[in-house]
Amino acid sequence: MNPVIRAVTPDEWQRWRELRLLALRESAAAFCSRYDEWADADEARWRQRLSGDAINAMALDGEQPVGMVTGTWSNHGVELTSMYVAPAARRARVGEALIAAVTSWARQRGAPLLRLEVKPDNLGAIALYERLGFAHAGRSANGAELVMNRPL
């Protein structure tokens, strides 16, 4: 698989919605958001989610969306969130390509580091992040997630 990674605009909210809802159903335990919080969201909420100073990137295998990620500014640098790779595309470097897109975006804006939070039992994601140079940096404010950082 050789995915194409591209930024998603608010006008593509329906495509983002489809993949995000799949992620929240398929990998519910990996996210802080829940499917029922977004399933009935209207167009305005989805467009707003894709607006602002952030990168929302999608991985495509042909025309099929197979992954997504968001990078937003935070007090720490750039926060990597909403990372998801469809089961059929895992271990095919889709996650690496998505993180590379956020990394490029963050570097262009002078961010000092990438930061993310991951559930401690999400061993596949943790292994990916470690392989890409993220280091453990403690726990989230609520203590439920591991914090990982990667200097840029």
Side-chain angles (χ1 to χ4, degrees):
M1 176 180 300
N2 191 17
V4 172
I5 310 298
R6 65 176 188 75
V8 177
T9 69
D11 288 339
E12 298 172 286
W13 69 273
Q14 290 172 307
R15 193 167 216 192
W16 182 270
R17 176 187 186 272
E18 178 183 325
L19 189 58
R20 180 66 174 160
L21 291 178
L22 172 66
L24 293 174
R25 279 192 309 268
E26 191 274 320
S27 298
F31 298 102
C32 294
S33 295
R34 293 189 335 261
Y35 176 84
D36 61 352
E37 294 172 326
W38 282 94
D40 295 327
D42 64 8
E43 177 180 343
R45 185 172 180 204
W46 285 105
R47 283 180 176 277
Q48 205 244 328
R49 166 66 180 78
L50 295 171
S51 298
D53 190 17
I55 181 172
N56 297 287
M58 185 176 289
L60 300 167
D61 181 22
E63 287 299 311
Q64 180 66 38
V66 294
M68 66 193 321
V69 69
T70 295
T72 59
W73 283 101
S74 74
N75 295 338
H76 311 282
V78 169
E79 189 86 18
L80 191 142
T81 65
S82 301
M83 177 78 172
Y84 173 74
V85 176
R90 292 180 187 158
R91 294 175 187 39
R93 302 196 178 269
V94 173
E96 291 176 17
L98 288 165
I99 291 170
V102 174
T103 299
S104 176
W105 181 84
R107 283 185 175 141
Q108 289 172 5
R109 284 155 182 79
L113 64 83
L114 286 180
R115 179 184 186 277
L116 61 86
E117 295 180 3
V118 60
K119 303 281 183 173
D121 61 349
N122 194 343
L123 301 180
I126 292 168
L128 168 68
Y129 301 141
E130 288 174 340
R131 193 170 66 249
L132 296 178
F134 285 85
H136 294 265
R139 291 277 186 163
S140 61
N142 67 10
E145 291 90 23
L146 301 175
V147 173
M148 299 181 79
N149 292 331
R150 185 175 96 186
L152 297 178

